[in-house]
Amino acid sequence: MADIIQLLPDHVANQIAAGEVVQRPASVVKELLENAIDAGADAIKLIIKDGGKALIQVVDNGVGMSATDARLSFERHATSKIKSADDLFCLHTKGFRGEALASIAAIAHVELLTRTEEEELGVQLKIEGSKISSQEPIVTPKGTSFCIKNLFFNIPARRNFLKSNQVEFRHITDEFHRVALAHPDIQFHFYNNGSEIFHLPKSNYRQRIVNVFGSKTNEKLVPVEEETQVVKISGFISKPEFSKKSRGEQFFFVNNRFIKSPYLHHAVVSAFEGLIKSENHPGYFLYLDVDPASIDINIHPTKTEIKFDDEHTVYALLRSAIKHALGQFNVVPALDFEADQNLETPYDYKAKLAEVPRVSVDASFNPFAEETPKASHRSSAYEKPSTKGWENMYVGLESKVGKESDFSSVSFESETITGSIFDNQAEAIDTVSTTFQLKRKYIVTTIKSGMIIIDQSRAHQRVLYENFLKNITIKEGVSQQLLFPLQLNFSSTEVHIIKEIIDSLINLGFAFDAIEEEYVSISGVPLLVPESEVGMVLDQLISDYQMDTPEDSFSQSDIVAKTLSKTLAVKTGEQLDSESQLALVNNLFACKEFKISPFNKPIYITLTGEDIDKKFF
């Protein structure tokens, strides 16, 4: 039998590896930014065009590479980070696999400019599909510049599966946040389609968080600090009142590397137990420093998963550190009946010494002395007014009280009119009497064949959903102008999402005065949206939009309509009067689709007379 096993060519192996390392343009951004940090750069520029599909460029001022290193860096498993297997247990760099550049070069057009400080001229490399097309000396600043064009040009199936430019840009922004938050000592510039998105100067951790998520973030942060033999925990958590339904401000960093850990996330959530709603997520920016030998990051090519030697201890320490921070800064209300109130001295009085109270005595005071005539006629501000002659106020009242007929001329405020504007009152009452509310959750109404039990919340969701979708499509949303504009604070990413769906919001009836980087000013809201719930509606809308990441305008309108219907619909437990029950039933069966809710759940069930009869056998 002939031999059938053979080694794959390098370009084929690189394309296979690219499927794991490079999933989308954000993966390329992550790898290039981490390489720039490993090169010792203190200023990094990120330039993006068309969501990273047309161009991804990362420019740094690191140590640079020689001509030989530049060519070798694109080979598989070529790296300067480690030399032996033992180095995997003492990693202090971002990368160590040596697969990223080879994978990127296999599926894109790459242009590399690099120069070391010792050399006068740098080198320019151009690579297309793992093949070096040119190598020339060039004048370039110290450092390295990677230019990635036409990502997935030779894998059209992968390119077709990429999302819209807005969605890919959002993923790139997320990766940029993760790298920038981990390294506040590095200056970052971020450009998208020629406009500057972020300019982050060198700063500390708190200032970097504020620069990324807006100045309003500063008042939300509560510092966390704990140092043990196992782990050193530092960073910040958000106050409970700033928790959101949407994820987006949850960051774990282990040895300055962003990781995802549902187990540690549960530790944070459990520390906030009782302070936030069950469906809300607390915000946190936590930095964990551990011994590199006690963790394993060689689990996944993206290096966002990590294994601890003793996860339970880290869990307990993290949970207790957050609880301590919440209590230390009086975020958690506490009652201590055994505390000595005398020890709770105000700060202004701690430095003051105790003084003996002084008593002043008037030696000339004589309590038996008679008052002078002038003093007896002196008026006082507290003098009681005379009540002499009060009887005259009621003179003649007895004769009027005894006559009942005199009250006929007195007019009183009329009682509330409970009548109806409809002439056929008897018919309306008969119709209303056929519906009633069961357990403040269901509406029961009769039909010819039996009865229908309707879920009031799902029915209202369907009615609102079709109304909102109609307003967005026809662009006839009615707006209710606010007396004073409502200003809501959001992060730059959330404001970007609002800008993407602003057309749908305007068609619904929202009116915006200004949309800035850190806040949104609203001057009008739809008729069905109360002013007090505008912030909650937009938070829920942003959360749903991030989860679904739609590509076309119809999907965006669908998400907006679903979110508003879910947020504004009648909830379970709300009591409805007879008129509201009847109106909801009539509106439901006037919908185009009245059997299922916008979230594909049944709205009602039918019980026929036969089904009821069977219950009595």
Side-chain angles (χ1 to χ4, degrees), residues 40-83:
D42 61 357
I44 301 175
K45 289 184 181 179
L46 172 61
I47 303 171
I48 300 296
K49 286 186 179 179
D50 298 336
K53 301 174 185 177
L55 172 67
I56 299 174
Q57 185 175 3
V58 175
V59 183
D60 66 71
N61 61 349
V63 295
M65 291 182 287
S66 64
T68 304
D69 287 343
R71 290 180 64 99
L72 193 59
S73 64
F74 290 97
E75 298 293 332
R76 290 192 68 204
H77 307 303
T79 179
S80 62
K81 315 298 174 59
I82 62 173
K83 296 181 180 180

Side-chain angles (χ1 to χ4, degrees), residues 195-452:
S195 61
E196 186 178 51
I197 306 300
F198 287 104
H199 176 200
L200 306 177
K202 297 180 181 180
S203 59
N204 54 24
Y205 285 114
R206 189 183 191 110
Q207 190 61 42
R208 176 56 56 90
I209 295 172
V210 172
N211 290 336
V212 171
F213 291 99
S215 58
K216 296 296 181 180
T217 311
N218 192 30
E219 64 186 35
K220 306 177 184 179
L221 301 180
V222 176
V224 179
E225 196 74 32
E226 194 71 39
E227 185 172 359
T228 65
Q229 295 180 351
V230 178
V231 60
K232 178 183 178 183
I233 302 172
S234 60
F236 302 90
I237 55 176
S238 295
K239 295 179 181 178
E241 59 266 27
F242 295 104
S243 62
K244 296 182 179 180
K245 291 185 178 180
S246 60
R247 293 177 179 265
E249 294 184 2
Q250 291 81 32
F251 294 90
F252 277 119
F253 301 94
V254 176
N255 294 349
N256 287 336
R257 181 193 302 274
F258 172 79
I259 67 163
K260 297 177 181 179
S261 177
Y263 186 66
L264 296 183
H265 174 76
H266 185 271
V268 178
V269 173
S270 63
F272 278 87
E273 186 178 1
L275 300 176
I276 61 175
K277 297 180 180 179
S278 58
E279 66 271 13
N280 286 10
H281 302 280
Y284 53 83
F285 309 87
L286 297 173
Y287 301 84
L288 281 67
D289 292 333
V290 299
D291 184 5
S294 65
I295 58 174
D296 183 9
I297 60 177
N298 190 22
I299 298 175
H300 193 271
T302 59
K303 298 185 286 291
T304 56
E305 298 179 14
I306 198 170
K307 288 293 183 183
F308 294 90
D309 283 350
D310 191 356
E311 282 188 328
H312 298 290
T313 302
V314 176
Y315 179 98
L317 291 174
L318 181 62
R319 182 172 178 269
S320 62
I322 294 175
K323 276 183 169 285
H324 177 68
L326 291 172
Q328 184 179 7
F329 291 92
N330 295 326
V331 178
V332 180
L335 291 176
D336 189 359
F337 296 103
E338 298 180 358
D340 189 356
Q341 298 296 329
N342 296 326
L343 298 178
E344 298 180 1
T345 307
Y347 292 110
D348 296 339
Y349 290 88
K350 282 188 174 181
K352 291 186 177 181
L353 300 177
E355 296 181 1
V356 179
R358 298 179 181 179
V359 179
S360 59
V361 179
D362 186 3
S364 62
F365 176 72
N366 183 5
F368 302 101
E370 295 182 358
E371 295 183 356
T372 60
K374 292 183 179 180
S376 61
H377 296 287
R378 185 169 50 193
S379 62
S380 173
Y382 301 97
E383 185 178 357
K384 186 177 180 180
S386 175
T387 58
K388 185 177 181 180
W390 62 271
E391 304 91 346
N392 298 330
M393 298 175 62
Y394 300 94
V395 174
L397 184 63
E398 298 81 356
S399 60
K400 294 183 180 180
V401 173
K403 299 179 181 180
E404 296 181 358
S405 59
D406 292 337
F407 283 102
S408 60
S409 62
V410 181
S411 61
F412 296 94
E413 184 178 356
S414 60
E415 297 181 356
T416 304
I417 299 175
T418 57
S420 174
I421 61 175
F422 301 101
D423 296 334
N424 195 358
Q425 178 71 8
E427 182 180 355
I429 294 176
D430 292 338
T431 307
V432 172
S433 63
T434 59
T435 64
F436 68 92
Q437 193 175 21
L438 178 63
K439 292 186 176 181
R440 296 188 178 183
K441 183 177 182 181
Y442 303 104
I443 297 176
V444 182
T445 183
T446 58
I447 56 177
K448 292 182 179 180
S449 60
M451 63 182 352
I452 293 180

